Amino acid sequence: MADVNFSSPAPNPDSRGAEARAPAAREGDLRWDIIELLFFAYRDFVGDADHELEAFGFGRAHHRVMHFVHRYPGLKVADLLDVLRITKQSLGRVLKQLLDEGYIVQKTGSNDRRQRLLFATAKGEALVGKLAGLQTTRINRALADIAPEDAETVRRFLCAMIDRDDPDKVLETILKTGPATKKE
């Protein structure tokens, strides 16, 4: 097996588009500490739910769809596509499975019959609640030893990490409501 040097990765020819958008950082300026902490935190945060979802034959895409449909009842399919930033084809397979298995229902809009509005069923709400419970336990455990003002700093940091160029309706709602512990 060849030796691999992790400190100086070879340039990726497929990443040239990213280079045009942002100036290249010098090696000493890179935040490997935060990058890797975010990677591992995300891995473990979604891993709790991933393990539970496996029993249903679901994956992360199913989780994301169910999360937003549950949190924003009556969400239009078009808005869900925008929020998740996925294609119709990608959403179609996942949504069909969730509809067929009774986790989500789709209703026609009352003002515009072309609209497809999504709602979680009781079965879907129960699964989303279980997944959110697992993730809330992890979040609460991580926040347990820090001061409340430090928790707000974490929240501000995470908000600052989100691109503000593309105004998602759901994201705007989340940012306007402030810290939320329960569904209103």
Side-chain angles (χ1 to χ4, degrees):
M1 183 171 175
D3 287 7
V4 178
N5 181 353
F6 289 104
S7 62
S8 309
N12 179 352
D14 295 331
S15 66
R16 289 189 194 130
E19 291 171 7
R21 283 179 264 152
R26 293 187 314 236
E27 180 68 26
D29 294 336
L30 297 174
R31 292 303 309 254
W32 293 116
D33 57 338
I34 301 297
I35 291 168
E36 290 175 359
L37 286 169
L38 282 170
F39 171 80
F40 290 116
Y42 176 76
R43 179 200 66 188
D44 295 345
F45 176 73
V46 297
D48 295 336
D50 287 349
H51 181 71
E52 186 68 31
L53 289 164
E54 285 176 15
F56 298 91
F58 294 161
R60 289 181 186 167
H62 296 85
H63 184 190
R64 286 189 287 264
V65 168
M66 287 192 308
H67 171 88
F68 286 106
V69 169
H70 170 71
R71 289 285 293 150
Y72 304 94
L75 186 65
K76 292 184 273 184
V77 170
D79 289 339
L80 183 58
L81 287 168
D82 289 341
V83 167
L84 297 177
R85 295 182 183 173
I86 59 174
T87 64
K88 275 187 189 179
Q89 185 177 11
S90 297
L91 178 61
R93 180 189 59 79
V94 170
L95 192 54
K96 180 176 177 0
Q97 188 177 8
L98 292 171
L99 289 163
D100 289 349
E101 295 188 27
Y103 289 91
I104 290 176
V105 294
Q106 182 173 276
K107 299 179 182 178
T108 304
S110 56
N111 294 339
D112 184 347
R113 311 258 330 133
R114 295 171 296 176
Q115 285 182 335
R116 295 184 297 155
L117 309 177
L118 302 172
F119 298 86
T121 63
K123 184 177 175 181
E125 289 178 355
L127 181 56
V128 170
K130 185 169 189 169
L131 300 174
L134 292 169
Q135 292 178 321
T136 297
T137 298
R138 180 172 293 277
I139 291 167
N140 287 342
R141 192 172 52 234
L143 294 175
D145 294 330
I146 67 172
E149 60 272 11
D150 293 338
E152 180 55 27
T153 300
V154 171
R155 186 178 183 286
R156 283 194 330 267
F157 168 77
L158 292 172
C159 286
M161 290 287 295
I162 299 168
D163 286 339
R164 301 289 177 114
D165 301 354
D166 188 16
D168 293 329
K169 291 176 187 145
V170 174
L171 184 56
E172 287 175 13
T173 301
I174 292 167
L175 295 176
K176 285 179 190 171
T177 58
T181 55
K182 299 184 203 179
K183 181 181 174 190
E184 298 292 331

